[in-house]
């Protein structure tokens, strides 16, 4: 068994009809830029009725058709927010919790100890979070239910050095199901691309056509901090 095997994002996504929401963090093969990507999927009308909208410090989700918005509590939030020269990426309103704690000089882990998985039993959707540092190093976390009853929260944290060409991929669900099974194990090792458009297409084109909703990708130059980003919305 090769524990250091690096997988293809195309293969991982095309083989899974419902990974849910996903975060990828890492470094381009040429070692000059950090990579951050976030996508959302949905099965219900409420979940599918969303787009990513650009903000001065990142992006937010908003209803594509406000008349169809039934419950905004778990679907409207800021998935991506800048903090100084770093970047926070999450699948919920814990983005703001993390930013508030870091601004007070506290840690990513401390912030997430105040949060738990989403209260949407029987799925108990995990909260996944990432923090990309200016030097290209990054952290990922998942907060998930300890059992089928949602009686307690398991908190896993992972810290990674920047390695050219390597990214780590974490997503909310193993696959589709009823209830939907939560992600298990460590974030997956995946190959990244030097070209942002190639990588963006690799993600978007391999997400399930029925369930994909929106995708955000940002490449940031580690020296100049200049960045390129792409936003794709199915409803656009």
């Amino acid at each position: 068994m090769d524990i250091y095997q690096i997988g293809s994002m195309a293969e991982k996504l095309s083989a899974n009809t419902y990974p849910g929401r996903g975060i990828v963090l890492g470094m381009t093969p040429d070692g000059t830029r950090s990579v951050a990507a976030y996508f959302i999927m949905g099965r219900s009308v409420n979940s599918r009725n969303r787009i990513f909208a650009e903000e001065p410090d990142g992006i937010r989700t908003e209803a594509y058709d406000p008349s169809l918005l039934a419950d905004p509590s778990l679907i409207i939030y800021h998935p991506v927010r800048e903090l100084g020269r770093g970047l926070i990426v999450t699948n919920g309103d814990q983005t703001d919790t993390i930013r508030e704690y870091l601004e007070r000089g506290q840690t990513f882990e401390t912030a997430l100890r105040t949060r738990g998985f989403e209260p949407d039993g029987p799925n108990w959707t995990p909260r996944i979070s990432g923090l990309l540092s200016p030097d290209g190093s990054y952290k990922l976390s998942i907060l998930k239910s300890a059992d089928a009853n949602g009686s307690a929260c398991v908190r896993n944290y992972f810290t990674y050095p920047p390695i050219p060409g390597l990214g780590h991929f974490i997503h909310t669900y193993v696959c589709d199901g009823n209830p939907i099974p939560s992600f298990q194990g460590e974030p997956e090792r995946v190959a990244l691309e030097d070209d942002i458009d190639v990588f963006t297409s690799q993600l978007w084109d391999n997400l399930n056509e029925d369930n994909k909703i929106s995708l955000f990708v940002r490449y940031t130059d580690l020296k100049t901090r200049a960045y390129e980003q792409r936003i794709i919305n199915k409803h656009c």
Side-chain angles (χ1 to χ4, degrees):
M1 179 180 181
D2 181 4
I3 62 171
Y4 299 112
Q5 182 176 0
I6 299 176
S8 159
M9 283 300 303
E11 292 177 358
K12 290 183 180 296
L13 294 178
S14 64
N16 190 347
T17 58
Y18 204 64
R21 287 165 274 173
I23 298 171
V24 181
L25 298 180
M27 176 182 275
T28 55
D30 63 12
T32 66
R33 290 156 295 162
S34 62
V35 175
Y38 177 64
F39 65 79
I40 59 174
M41 305 180 79
R43 301 191 304 177
S44 69
V45 172
N46 199 43
S47 291
R48 291 178 173 179
N49 180 39
R50 287 184 288 173
I51 59 172
F52 284 165
E54 191 169 358
E55 290 277 289
D57 67 343
I59 59 171
R60 72 179 187 278
T61 61
E62 62 180 36
Y64 172 67
D65 181 348
S67 70
L68 297 177
L69 182 61
D71 178 7
S73 61
L74 295 177
I75 66 168
I76 303 299
Y77 56 92
H78 288 83
V80 178
R81 302 200 91 155
E82 296 172 4
L83 180 69
R85 297 194 305 153
L87 197 69
I88 304 165
V89 185
T90 89
N91 73 326
D93 63 9
Q94 71 268 27
T95 306
D96 296 328
T97 304
I98 294 167
R99 188 171 74 161
E100 290 165 7
Y101 272 72
L102 293 175
E103 286 176 337
R104 299 203 301 259
Q106 299 190 58
T107 67
F108 177 76
E109 293 83 359
T110 299
L112 289 171
R113 280 198 288 272
T114 70
R115 303 303 303 268
F117 50 85
E118 295 182 356
D120 63 340
N123 294 319
W124 310 120
T125 299
R127 290 191 188 273
I128 54 174
S129 307
L131 177 63
L132 184 57
S133 297
D135 66 355
S137 62
Y138 51 98
K139 295 181 177 183
L140 288 167
S141 171
I142 184 167
L143 313 180
K144 58 187 179 180
S145 181
D147 58 31
N149 300 317
S151 63
C153 184
V154 174
R155 295 177 170 84
N156 296 147
Y157 307 99
F158 307 90
T159 302
Y160 298 102
I163 297 176
L166 178 65
H168 285 86
F169 173 39
I170 192 167
H171 41 105
T172 50
Y173 307 125
V174 174
C175 59
D176 206 346
N178 190 22
I180 320 172
S182 294
F183 181 89
Q184 298 293 309
E186 293 186 21
E188 300 166 4
R189 293 163 58 88
V190 294
L192 302 181
E193 301 287 344
D194 280 325
D195 188 309
I196 187 173
D197 290 315
V198 170
F199 189 59
T200 300
S201 294
Q202 187 181 92
L203 299 179
W204 187 250
D205 293 347
N206 287 286
L207 286 166
N208 180 266
E209 185 64 30
D210 293 331
N211 296 322
K212 67 183 180 183
I213 301 170
S214 297
L215 170 66
F216 166 89
V217 180
R218 179 182 287 195
Y219 278 34
T220 304
D221 188 289
L222 295 172
K223 290 184 178 180
T224 69
R225 307 308 303 167
Y227 65 81
E228 290 185 273
Q229 69 180 31
R230 305 289 185 265
I231 296 172
I232 302 178
N233 290 305
K234 188 172 183 178
H235 298 300
C236 190

